[in-house]
Amino acid sequence: MANANDFFGAVGNTISRAANKLGKKTDQFVTVQKIRSRQHNLEDQIEMDYRKMGEWIFQKYTEEEELPEKLQEICRGIEKRTREIRECRERIAQVKGAKICPGCGELIPKDANYCMNCGTSFQKVQQEGTETEPDEPRTDTQEE
């Protein structure tokens, strides 16, 4: 019986040591994950700061404020790509038989009377063969 007690005692000690190691590894893993989460959060905040800075510089460019030539070159590139994006969206709308809402930019069915996203009205009034401009977007459905 002594051999059985020694055996089970040794097994118990081995399980206890393994559980302690596992507990330490789990604590380590949780701690590392918390640190990584904080690191990613800080990186995201820096990315947002870069974006805000870039948007501020581009706004100054559009207001025709004096900027260094390198920044003007970057802003011209943004303008060019923005035009190309608008052209791509227009081509997609054409291929899909849709139109682009001037209020929010969403693709909507060509025969829609209102934008399902922002509520802009597209009620067409025929005047001498031309369509009127869409109404202003409804502000009660848009986020500030």
Side-chain angles (χ1 to χ4, degrees):
M1 204 39 121
N3 286 341
N5 285 339
D6 289 342
F7 173 76
F8 286 116
V11 168
N13 287 337
T14 301
I15 290 173
S16 180
R17 283 193 307 273
N20 285 336
K21 282 184 180 180
L22 181 61
K24 288 178 183 177
K25 289 288 186 184
T26 300
D27 290 344
Q28 182 185 48
F29 176 79
V30 169
T31 300
V32 167
Q33 288 308 106
K34 286 180 181 178
I35 294 168
R36 282 187 179 149
S37 177
R38 177 66 180 151
Q39 175 187 343
H40 290 305
N41 184 275
L42 292 168
E43 290 169 346
D44 289 346
Q45 288 176 8
I46 288 172
E47 193 66 34
M48 286 300 298
D49 288 341
Y50 281 142
R51 182 181 179 128
K52 288 177 190 175
M53 184 171 43
E55 288 172 352
W56 179 80
I57 290 170
F58 188 73
Q59 179 184 355
K60 296 300 177 190
Y61 170 80
T62 60
E63 293 170 355
E64 298 183 5
E65 290 195 21
E66 189 65 33
L67 295 174
E69 180 56 36
K70 184 64 179 171
L71 290 178
Q72 290 183 31
E73 181 182 320
I74 292 168
C75 290
R76 285 190 294 270
I78 291 171
E79 284 181 324
K80 179 181 181 232
R81 285 184 285 282
T82 300
R83 282 190 304 273
E84 289 178 19
I85 289 168
R86 187 173 39 251
E87 290 169 3
C88 288
R89 289 183 51 75
E90 289 169 356
R91 289 195 334 245
I92 289 170
Q94 184 179 20
V95 168
K96 287 186 165 189
K99 60 186 172 185
I100 298 172
C101 173
C104 67
E106 289 293 316
L107 285 179
I108 57 171
K110 199 163 201 90
D111 60 349
N113 291 326
Y114 292 91
C115 175
M116 288 70 73
N117 187 54
C118 72
T120 297
S121 173
F122 295 104
Q123 302 230 339
K124 299 174 183 175
V125 178
Q126 296 293 331
Q127 293 180 345
E128 299 174 18
T130 61
E131 296 176 356
T132 61
E133 290 294 313
D135 296 340
E136 289 296 314
R138 291 189 344 217
T139 57
D140 61 330
T141 60
Q142 292 181 336
E143 292 182 13
E144 294 289 321

